[in-house]
Amino acid sequence: MEQVPHLAMFCQENRPSIPHAFSKYLLPIIVRYLADQNNQVRKTSQAALLVLLEQELIERTDVESKVCPVLIDLTSPDSNDDVKTEAVAIMCKMASMVGRDITERLILPRFCEMCCDCRMFHVRKVCAANFGDICSVVGQDATEKMLLPRFFQLCSDNVWGVRKACAECFMAVSCTTSQELRRTKLSALFINLISDPSRWVRQAAFQSLGPFISTFANPSNSGQYFKEEECKSSKDDQQSENDESRTAKEVLAEDASSVEEEDDVPLIDKLCTDSDVNFTVKLESSLEDVAGESSKDSSQQVDFLSCCTLPLQSTADSSKPEQISNESNAHEVLELASPESPVTEQELYNSFHFWRTPIPEIDIDLELKRTQAESRSTESSQTVQKASSPGSPNITMATRKELEEMIENLEPHIDDPDVKAQVDVLTAALKASKLGTQEDPKSSHLNREILYRNDRIETGKINCKIACEDSGPLISDSVECMQSTLRYIHDDSDLSTSGSFSPEDEKKSKVQDVVPQALLDQYLSMTDPSRAQTVDTEIAKHCAYSIPGVALTLGRQNWHCLRDTYETLAADMQWKVRRTLAFSIHELASILGDSLTAADLLPIFNGFLKDLDEVRIGVLKHLYDFLKLLPPDKRREYLYQLQEFLVTDNCRNWRFRAELAEQLIFLLELYSARDIYDYLLPIALNLCGDKVSSVRWISYKLVSEMVKKLYLAPTQTLVLDLMNKLVEQFCRSSKWSGRQTFVFICQALIEDDCLPMDQFALHLMPHLLHLASDRVPNVRVLLAKTLKQTLLEKEYFLTSANSHQEAVEQTIMALQMDYDSDVKYFASIHPASTKLADDAVSTASSTY
């Protein structure tokens, strides 16, 4: 069997003489030995069959008539267990080689049967492991109709090894299904695997979670297209943001239109811009109108209440700083909202109101501001109470009594859930009214307003008399609530940085609609330390590996969902996790764009620059790819830090320095000639003297590219200074290795045409020819090779007779009479000689 593939190749090469030899004699042998009793014979025949299929040496007719029938027979119920398992594996592996037609007609039906093999879990495990390959061959229709039901069964198999194999191939299966099926069916199935009782299944599922999420990627939603090396968001992203903005504004417009039916709306709007004195007077005059309209139905009262907090945008620009309530009340908007109240559409889009117009940030003494606001609030509320009911200064006492009576009347019917909810609301209102004398008046009124709103939304059965009698404080405090909310919106950046979000808001900030939220939540939980203990110690590394794909899938508009997770991974204690991020940070930067990169990735990038060498190498390998995405001013800041790459934890880590030299070649196009001369040239000259030859070879190329770049600069001063430095530092070096380095650099300059030959002959060649009298033979050998094989091949020295050409010829004649045999050889032999090429390689290696 080991000889059969070689015989098959012989038959193929001599096909005209023996056209049917392989099909008639060799293929039957291979097929027969697939069922041999000896395990090694079977394995060899299986390997031979796959090799011949891969080389396309078996005709399709032979596959259909001779190979597939035998494999199907070997997978019959009465077949040997080991043979059956191996036959299923062969069928799965050959599916991609024989194509979709044969797979659907001959292999797919038996494969579906094997997925349900009740007796042999090894067979089901092989089917599960190769499920993705079969799906990719047969396509979407056959996958959804025939394979997915079997896949669901395998994912719930009672053997954990089968479920683990399903988790490992989940991405491949997902790629061949529709987006709808992926979202509705496969995501729920994957959640089951993530919460599997077996740790090994959970481990495989979490490893596949990131790749599975990436199958939800849609270019029109992720908003990525590349144009002129810039990563920009597509129109679809802008359109989706406009849709969200328009939806939020429509909600406000609808509420405002319903409110405008009330006569108080212009008054409320005006109250937000008037001074404190006028504020009290106008409220006093308005209370009678409000009391007169208290007999309206509950829906109108709900609309009236909504006017106090909804028209935020109309008053945002006109509100004066002294009218904005203190920061603590902004927190109360979050804390006091009843969890039983239904979430309005406005709140769904209240992700810090991305439709708002930004206002300038003003530094304010918060303590002083809070004290002033409390004093003004107390005076204002007292004045309103006096003005609203001169004859009855203690309105809260009457309100409290009414609340107590209503609670007593409703207690006999407490078993009714609606009645119980109403009693709970009234009890809370009663408690708030009792605490009103001790609390900040704004806080109690805000409490009352929210409770009123919750009660009207849930039950709609609040007594109109209470609303009428308490309408005075309600108006004033609703305005204060609006101001507090306004301050909360304007100070969203400060709140976010100070960590004053409630857990609900943090959770809401991670909500998106690109992938099922349950999948994203599980992915974000991969950084939880408990996962490392219960699932996999390297789960954070798998999370880091997948994060660019997940970020691309979600799109830059949903980066806020991943920001905290990325920062957690960047600070992980395991250097392997940080190394993984360092190798992919340039990809993430191209996905997020300039602004997000500067805000969120640059600090992490700076941290990686100071990390272990194992982490720094990831940043260094893609240094150009990352820096080219930064604006020029930010990019220039890293010129000062490039020198730090010369320092490594282990001086033997020469590959680190070699990578630095390669990256500096790319970085030349990002910086000006002056920056190259001031910052990059010292590093290049340092690397030219490295102890390791591979580093020096790349550095010669780097210096030659620098000369080319500086020569193309507007002024020639820098390139002349550079050439003078090369002469001083290397050509006149006291070490022979330095002088040899000068010859290597000149050789690179000539080969890459970095300088016009007349400029080279004028500035560098006299110093180069001077080395013909060097006392070290290795320097003279390299000089002879450079002159004979490189310099004299240039047209400048072949066609024009000048003083430079005469000097070169005289130097070569002197080298031909050198006392060292190697110098004589390379100065005398013709460059086109074949032997010279071999000797040149050996001599070049010997000079290190």
Side-chain angles (χ1 to χ4, degrees), residues 164-380:
K164 178 177 179 289
C166 290
E168 291 171 345
C169 71
F170 213 94
M171 175 188 175
V173 176
S174 176
C175 288
T176 55
T177 61
S178 64
Q179 184 74 260
E180 180 183 0
L181 198 60
R182 191 178 300 140
R183 179 178 293 272
T184 56
K185 299 290 182 65
L186 291 184
S187 59
L189 184 63
F190 196 85
I191 293 296
N192 291 338
L193 292 175
I194 281 182
S195 56
D196 195 272
S198 171
R199 176 171 181 166
W200 306 111
V201 178
R202 296 198 303 271
Q203 188 177 111
F206 272 110
Q207 291 182 20
S208 300
L209 177 55
F212 176 50
I213 290 177
S214 68
T215 61
F216 288 86
N218 186 348
S220 62
N221 291 333
S222 60
Q224 299 302 314
Y225 68 93
F226 293 90
K227 183 178 181 182
E228 297 178 356
E229 298 184 355
E230 292 181 2
C231 185
K232 303 178 180 178
S233 60
S234 68
K235 295 180 180 179
D236 295 323
D237 282 345
Q238 300 173 1
Q239 184 65 32
S240 62
E241 292 178 3
N242 293 337
D243 291 342
E244 293 175 346
S245 175
R246 185 174 64 253
T247 307
K249 290 179 179 178
E250 286 174 356
V251 174
L252 293 177
E254 292 173 0
D255 293 333
S257 62
S258 63
V259 168
E260 284 174 358
E261 298 177 359
E262 304 286 342
D263 296 334
D264 303 89
V265 174
L267 176 62
I268 296 295
D269 290 340
K270 190 173 181 181
L271 289 177
C272 296
T273 58
D274 287 338
S275 62
D276 290 339
V277 178
N278 294 334
F279 175 74
T280 306
V281 174
K282 290 182 179 297
L283 274 178
E284 179 183 357
S285 62
S286 67
L287 291 179
E288 297 177 0
D289 298 334
V290 176
E293 292 176 356
S294 61
S295 59
K296 293 183 179 181
D297 57 13
S298 59
S299 63
Q300 291 175 323
Q301 292 176 359
V302 171
D303 290 339
F304 170 75
L305 290 168
S306 66
C307 76
C308 299
T309 54
L310 287 177
L312 299 175
Q313 194 174 14
S314 62
T315 60
D317 298 329
S318 59
S319 299
K320 295 184 179 180
E322 58 267 16
Q323 292 176 339
I324 301 177
S325 59
N326 59 17
E327 191 171 329
S328 61
N329 283 336
H331 300 169
E332 292 172 358
V333 176
L334 294 175
E335 296 170 358
L336 296 177
S338 172
E340 297 178 357
S341 61
V343 180
T344 63
E345 190 174 0
Q346 178 194 4
E347 291 171 345
L348 288 175
Y349 288 97
N350 189 18
S351 180
F352 287 112
H353 295 257
F354 16 75
W355 48 266
R356 71 175 176 84
T357 56
I359 62 172
E361 295 183 2
I362 303 174
D363 294 328
I364 300 174
D365 190 340
L366 294 179
E367 293 297 329
L368 179 61
K369 189 170 182 296
R370 183 179 292 109
T371 305
Q372 294 175 351
E374 289 177 356
S375 61
R376 282 199 306 272
S377 172
T378 306
E379 294 175 0
S380 174

Side-chain angles (χ1 to χ4, degrees), residues 390-402:
S392 177
N394 195 0
I395 296 178
T396 56
M397 290 299 298
T399 304
R400 203 178 304 150
K401 189 176 299 184
E402 294 284 348

